Amino acid sequence: MIIVLSGAPGAGKGTQADLLVSDQGYRKVSTGDALRNQIKAKSALGLEAEGYMKEGKLVPDHLLFKVLTAELEANKGRTILLDGYPRNVNQAKTLANLGGESQVRACVHLDVGQVELVARLSGRRVCGACGASYHVEYAPPGDGDKCTKCGGGVVQRPDDAADKVAVRLDVYQRETMPVLDFYMGAGIYKRVDGARETNIVFGDLKKVIEGLAKA
Ligand code: AMP
C-alpha cells in the first residue's frame, strides 16, 4: 500500500515521513533522495537528472518511472510513504496504472502558505553526509556547521538558493497542484495544516493515517 505525502517544497514532507518511519515502521520512498543518490553514484541516470535538479525544474517523467519502480520493488510488501512523487498529473496516472500492491490508499496534503515556504527553504541546510535537515534560525547545525548526528559538513542544497526556490514554487503551482485535484476526484485526498509545529503536524498526520487503517 502507498500513502502519497504531497505538498510544496519545504512543506515538511521529508521530516514528517522520517518521523512516521521511526514511529510506525513504514518505509519512506523519496524520489528526490533517490535522484541525489544517483548523482552521488555518478550513474547515467544521475548525470541526466542533475541539470534539471540544479535549476529547480522537474526531471523528465521517463527517468522518474525508472527511479520509482526500482524503489517500489526494493520495498515490496511494506506500507510506503511516497515523498516527492507524483509531481504532475501524468505521474499520478502512471502510478495509478501500476495498480496491485502499488495502489494509492490516500494522498495526504501538507498545506503550507507561500511566505512560510520561502522562509523555510531559504534557511534550510542539510548534512552532505547523512542528509539530516537543519534551519539557520529554527534548528541550527552544530559548531562550525557540523552535523550533530554524524559530524558531516552542513551545507545549503544548490536548489535552495533564492532564485531556484522561486522556480520550484512556480513549478509546484503549475504542475503539482493539479495532482491534488486528481486525488480529490478519486475521493482519497486528505488535508493537514502543515504550517504548525512539527510535533503537532505529526500528531494530526498520524491520526489521519491510523484512520485509513480502520476504514
Ligand atoms: P525534493 O528532494 O523532493 O525536493 O526533489 C528535489 C528535486 O528532484 C526536484 O526539484 C526535482 O528536480 C527532482 N524530482 C524529485 N522528484 C521528482 C518527480 N517526481 N518528478 C520530477 N522531478 C523530481
Side-chain angles (χ1 to χ4, degrees):
M1 168 173 100
I2 292 177
I3 297 164
V4 169
L5 267 185
S6 198
K13 303 183 297 291
T15 304
Q16 293 295 340
D18 286 341
L19 290 171
L20 285 163
V21 164
S22 46
D23 192 77
Q24 304 278 318
Y26 300 141
R27 299 300 283 256
K28 166 179 149 180
V29 168
S30 157
T31 48
D33 286 349
L35 287 165
R36 282 183 285 276
N37 287 338
Q38 295 281 338
I39 292 173
K40 265 193 197 158
K42 299 196 186 327
S43 71
L45 193 152
L47 291 175
E48 210 177 331
E50 192 171 14
Y52 296 97
M53 291 176 74
K54 274 197 180 144
E55 291 304 314
K57 294 177 182 161
L58 292 188
V59 173
D61 289 350
H62 70 278
L63 296 180
L64 261 298
F65 183 71
K66 284 189 192 164
V67 169
L68 177 76
T69 47
E71 291 287 324
L72 295 183
E73 183 62 32
N75 290 288
K76 253 191 154 160
R78 305 292 298 263
T79 295
I80 291 172
L81 299 169
L82 195 48
D83 163 13
Y85 192 103
R87 264 181 153 97
N88 61 31
V89 171
N90 185 46
Q91 292 181 5
K93 289 181 179 165
T94 299
L95 181 56
N97 286 335
L98 289 181
E101 221 190 81
S102 304
Q103 200 179 349
V104 176
R105 183 76 177 76
C107 165
V108 186
H109 174 204
L110 283 182
D111 198 5
V112 177
Q114 187 93 353
V115 174
E116 173 73 11
L117 290 171
V118 172
R120 287 188 188 183
L121 288 169
S122 53
R124 178 162 73 178
R125 301 291 181 272
V126 291
C127 172
C130 76
S133 196
Y134 295 91
H135 189 279
V136 286
E137 217 174 301
Y138 315 126
D143 286 344
D145 283 342
K146 291 281 179 244
C147 177
T148 53
K149 295 187 178 120
C150 79
V154 172
V155 294
Q156 185 176 47
R157 259 170 58 171
D159 58 348
D160 280 344
D163 55 333
K164 304 301 184 299
V165 165
V167 173
R168 288 162 70 206
L169 292 177
D170 181 56
V171 167
Y172 175 76
Q173 273 190 354
R174 282 185 295 108
E175 304 222 31
T176 310
M177 281 182 66
V179 169
L180 303 177
D181 294 328
F182 176 90
Y183 286 121
M184 256 177 229
I188 54 171
Y189 169 87
K190 312 264 176 203
R191 177 187 175 274
V192 169
D193 176 359
R196 299 162 301 159
E197 272 181 39
T198 305
N199 57 341
I200 296 177
V201 175
F202 177 58
D204 266 14
L205 203 53
K206 220 170 116 172
K207 269 188 225 146
V208 167
I209 293 178
E210 281 166 359
L212 296 174
K214 286 180 201 136

